[in-house]
Amino acid sequence: MTFSIHGIPVARGIAIGRAVLVASSRVDVAHYFIQPEEVRAEIERLGVARDAVVDELQRMQSDMPKDMPPELGAMLDVHLMLLQDDSLAYEIRRWIKERLYNAEWALVSQLEVVVRQFEEMEDDYLRERKADLEQVIERVIRRLKGAAAPVAAPPPRPARQHDLLLDDTLDVPLVLVAHDLSPADMLQFKKSVFAGFVTDVGGKTSHTAIVARSMDIPAVVGARSASQLVRQDDWVIIDGDAGVMIVDPSPIILAEYGFKQRQGELERGRLARLKNTPAVTLDGQKIELLANIEQPGDTEAAVAVGAVGVGLFRTEFLFMGRAGQLPDEEEQYAAYRAAVEGMHGMPMTIRTIDIGADKPLDDRRPDTHLNPALGLRAIRWSLSEPAMFLTQLRAILRAAAHGQVHLLIPMLAHASEIRQTLELLDRARAQLDARGAVHGRVLLGAMIEIPAAALQLRLFLRHFDFLSIGTNDLIQYTLAIDRADESVAHLYDQLHPAVLRLIADTIAEGARQGKMVAVCGEMAGDPEMTRLLLGLGLRSFSMHPSQILQVKQEVLRADAGKLSDWARAVLESDEPARLLAGE
Ligand code: PEP
Ligand code: MG
């Protein structure tokens, strides 16, 4: 039966495919794709783990003291029976062969299918077998974990898979449905096969949503109980424009969305023609459209859509999911240098690590402080770990010898933080000089993303060459709304007069002092905000490459001079959203 689930739209477009539920099981396992040629080995790995569990259970059975309750023996019998059940084993192998899931993922996928069937049963005895199955699967997973290969980034969809597969189900697009995904998980899925994403939790500018947006595929977050209502392999439609997921659509609905999907593709084709068109407004204002990236390889997408530089490289993604083993100076230098060179002489803005809040270093050890968003995050963390920070600064300064590097510092609020940062930067340079290492000049910038920073612009402009407004956090901290919390997402208002006032003042003060001001939060990539930001005087926008052409289209249609009077009226209004709607 068709039903729909509403959430928050994150990335535009329509995806139609089969649902892949990830990590909704209570067992915490790695999810990754294997290569077709690895299918046999993966099935063998699963077989070895299963046999080991069978041995273990049989040993337990034979060693069981005589006075043990008979229920225990019966339970072991049930577990052994489940383990040796051919049809269960066949279905688990199917996930590996047909979907190229790793063995652990195949196990939890089948577990979910069977658990649903058990839950629908009338018979109490059979319903209770659910717990047995969960325990057995957990045992096998624990065995696999012991022998498992480390989780690699999921490989891209192999080109010639049919020869090796039982059928052609891989031709069906897959849509990922999860309760939550960390930004690092999301990044792992970046080069994978998924055609769309839905998560139960999250807000529009949570970092998971940001990474989803960078993948340029339809995504919906904050869809509450999606991962419980959708079943493994259900047909689903994701409408990333409306923030809706439709489950088990009827043929009429499918046809309608198929049409919308094709229209979207045509629109993309049309926008692609703007790639080499300079971003200039009707009244001749040159606008800089820059890219936000998470990994050095993302420069390719940035260049492909005609970005004139990178306005934000979120370096923290190099540090995440490494179980505390942070990248050393050489590894970081290689990454930053690759990013710099990937832009072929255009500016590369490297932001120092912004770890903390919804971007923990290690997903498995999330930040347990009471208010992580208000805690040891970004520059605060860097200053508390000076050796780590110096390593990063040295790597960035060395990469600056290979191109135009702008160094950007996140979350500054205090004069003392600015002073300490500048001192550490001097020290990093001195350390490089002492060992005769080559390094380059950098322009130094500060993120304006805490209201306290936006209220002391003169201090910031005295010390920095440029400013970059992080609207994602500026909105979060101005309005006291957790950007990752879907329950208050309706109050996360980028058009709140207080937010607009801080943005407008930052742009105006920068212009007065002849310093460049950019916006690199999600607002810069929202085509509905382009005219307002132009009207407020913004000339530099940084966003995910997937948004650049749409924003460029808005720029080409705008008259910045005429927009400034209107923008002033919006700024003076108590309810700017109304003015914007009736513009
Ligand atoms: C911001 O806060 O707007 C920003 C660009 O930084 P991040 O989203 O990484 O916090
Ligand atoms: Mg920020």
Side-chain angles (χ1 to χ4, degrees):
M1 197 190 56
T2 305
F3 63 96
S4 54
I5 302 170
H6 291 252
I8 300 162
V10 162
R12 306 171 63 107
I14 308 290
I16 304 174
R18 284 198 183 271
V20 174
L21 282 161
V22 164
S24 47
S25 143
R26 63 201 175 102
V27 195
D28 181 20
V29 299
H31 297 70
Y32 57 96
F33 291 100
I34 56 169
Q35 296 286 359
E37 57 273 20
E38 291 167 341
V39 164
R40 190 160 303 149
E42 195 65 4
I43 289 178
E44 223 169 87
R45 191 165 80 87
L46 176 66
V48 170
R50 191 199 55 178
D51 291 349
V53 176
V54 169
D55 275 358
E56 184 187 0
L57 294 183
Q58 282 173 341
R59 231 174 315 126
M60 279 167 76
Q61 237 176 4
S62 58
D63 296 349
M64 201 153 55
K66 294 272 172 290
D67 54 350
M68 285 304 273
E71 291 83 7
L72 194 58
M75 186 198 82
L76 288 176
D77 283 341
V78 172
H79 285 195
L80 278 165
M81 195 187 72
L82 287 169
L83 274 172
Q84 287 158 337
D85 181 314
D86 284 342
S87 63
L88 181 65
Y90 174 79
E91 294 300 330
I92 294 169
R93 283 199 302 269
R94 263 169 64 100
W95 291 110
I96 301 177
K97 285 183 193 163
E98 296 177 8
R99 288 289 170 78
L100 301 180
Y101 288 2
N102 62 312
E104 292 90 336
W105 190 359
L107 281 162
V108 290
S109 297
Q110 191 54 29
L111 173 65
E112 250 149 41
V113 170
V114 182
V115 161
R116 297 247 179 197
Q117 290 166 358
F118 278 145
E119 277 168 354
E120 282 159 16
M121 284 176 183
E122 299 282 310
D123 184 323
D124 282 349
Y125 172 79
L126 284 177
R127 235 189 357 245
E128 279 160 21
R129 299 289 65 78
K130 181 181 121 184
D132 291 311
L133 184 66
E134 283 173 342
Q135 284 161 14
V136 166
I137 297 248
E138 264 184 62
R139 264 182 200 279
V140 181
I141 287 173
R142 264 202 300 276
R143 277 282 162 176
L144 279 168
K145 270 189 175 169
V151 182
R157 190 172 179 155
R160 292 184 65 244
Q161 46 207 337
H162 292 270
D163 310 351
L164 293 128
L165 295 169
L166 291 182
D167 65 22
D168 63 355
T169 48
L170 259 175
D171 271 348
V172 176
L174 302 179
V175 166
L176 191 98
V177 182
H179 175 67
D180 191 13
L181 284 172
S182 70
D185 278 343
M186 198 56 125
L187 204 63
Q188 285 237 328
F189 286 118
K190 195 157 175 166
K191 293 197 175 63
S192 72
V193 296
F194 294 112
F197 286 88
V198 175
T199 58
D200 294 349
V201 300
K204 201 173 184 120
T205 65
S206 63
H207 285 94
T208 302
I210 288 174
V211 180
R213 199 168 298 129
S214 78
M215 294 160 72
D216 199 16
I217 54 175
V220 174
V221 298
R224 303 292 170 99
S225 43
S227 73
Q228 272 156 36
L229 297 173
V230 177
R231 283 174 310 192
Q232 202 69 260
D233 239 24
D234 273 350
W235 274 102
V236 294
I237 297 174
I238 299 190
D239 181 342
D241 297 296
V244 175
M245 170 161 69
I246 300 165
V247 185
D248 201 8
S250 67
I252 292 177
I253 296 177
L254 265 177
E256 191 185 319
Y257 276 93
F259 177 69
K260 270 194 186 182
Q261 201 176 30
R262 283 188 295 282
Q263 276 193 320
E265 278 155 20
L266 286 177
E267 167 73 3
R268 275 168 195 250
R270 210 172 47 70
L271 281 175
R273 287 189 230 130
L274 298 181
K275 179 196 158 188
N276 295 317
T277 310
V280 180
T281 59
L282 292 173
D283 56 336
Q285 294 283 333
K286 277 176 72 175
I287 308 300
E288 189 176 47
L289 298 183
L290 304 162
N292 289 357
I293 64 169
E294 277 91 37
Q295 291 171 312
D298 294 343
T299 50
E300 219 177 285
V303 172
V305 292
V308 296
V310 164
L312 174 63
F313 175 6
R314 289 183 164 98
T315 60
E316 51 274 16
F317 285 90
L318 297 174
F319 294 71
M320 284 152 68
R322 305 174 53 121
Q325 282 286 21
L326 301 188
D328 63 13
E329 184 182 319
E330 286 313 308
E331 185 181 340
Q332 288 189 57
Y333 164 63
Y336 305 145
R337 179 177 173 174
V340 170
E341 291 178 344
M343 289 313 287
H344 312 290
M346 293 183 278
M348 162 60 60
T349 309
I350 304 180
R351 182 178 73 179
T352 59
I353 185 168
D354 179 359
I355 213 73
D358 66 335
K359 285 181 289 192
L361 267 184
D362 188 349
D363 289 346
R364 293 176 206 284
R365 275 180 283 148
D367 195 333
T368 50
H369 290 96
L370 275 182
N371 282 308
L374 303 181
L376 200 60
R377 207 196 129 176
I379 190 65
R380 304 170 184 180
W381 188 72
S382 296
L383 293 176
S384 73
E385 298 275 347
M388 182 289 304
F389 194 37
L390 279 166
T391 304
Q392 182 174 40
L393 292 174
R394 286 194 305 270
I396 296 173
L397 290 170
R398 285 172 62 196
H402 302 278
Q404 245 193 92
V405 170
H406 299 176
L407 175 59
L408 181 60
I409 314 292
M411 291 270 295
L412 288 164
H414 301 263
S416 61
E417 290 172 331
I418 297 177
R419 187 171 19 81
Q420 287 173 60
T421 302
L422 297 178
E423 278 168 15
L424 284 168
L425 193 56
D426 282 345
R427 196 172 331 153
R429 284 196 188 98
Q431 287 173 338
L432 289 173
D433 287 338
R435 58 179 220 234
V438 179
H439 57 96
R441 282 170 54 82
V442 294
L443 282 186
L444 190 60
M447 298 271 302
I448 300 296
E449 51 185 346
I450 298 182
L455 293 169
Q456 357 164 46
L457 292 164
R458 264 173 296 167
L459 165 74
F460 279 78
L461 287 165
R462 243 195 334 273
H463 292 288
F464 292 95
D465 302 310
F466 70 97
L467 302 179
S468 190
I469 308 175
T471 48
N472 306 335
D473 279 315
L474 190 61
I475 299 167
Q476 149 163 281
Y477 296 126
T478 305
L479 303 181
I481 298 295
D482 185 338
R483 61 195 262 194
D485 183 348
E486 70 282 358
S487 67
V488 282
H490 60 293
L491 296 171
Y492 185 91
D493 179 10
Q494 55 185 355
L495 289 172
H496 191 289
V499 170
L500 292 183
R501 168 58 57 201
L502 294 176
I503 295 173
D505 288 354
T506 308
I507 297 170
E509 190 60 32
R512 243 191 310 278
Q513 301 204 24
K515 296 224 169 148
M516 212 256 295
V517 174
V519 170
C520 65
E522 296 303 291
M523 208 167 161
D526 181 346
E528 287 175 15
M529 291 296 115
T530 311
R531 294 163 69 77
L532 179 60
L533 291 171
L534 284 171
L536 293 177
L538 188 73
R539 298 295 176 259
S540 181
F541 296 63
S542 193
M543 67 204 83
H544 277 301
S546 58
Q547 284 138 281
I548 285 187
L549 293 173
Q550 258 185 310
V551 170
K552 190 187 274 186
Q553 176 170 262
E554 292 299 319
V555 167
L556 296 174
R557 292 174 177 166
D559 182 323
K562 284 194 188 144
L563 284 171
S564 69
D565 283 345
W566 166 73
R568 212 165 301 127
V570 173
L571 202 57
E572 297 305 327
S573 162
D574 289 342
E575 289 185 86
R578 286 187 166 208
L579 259 177
L580 218 69
E583 182 197 334

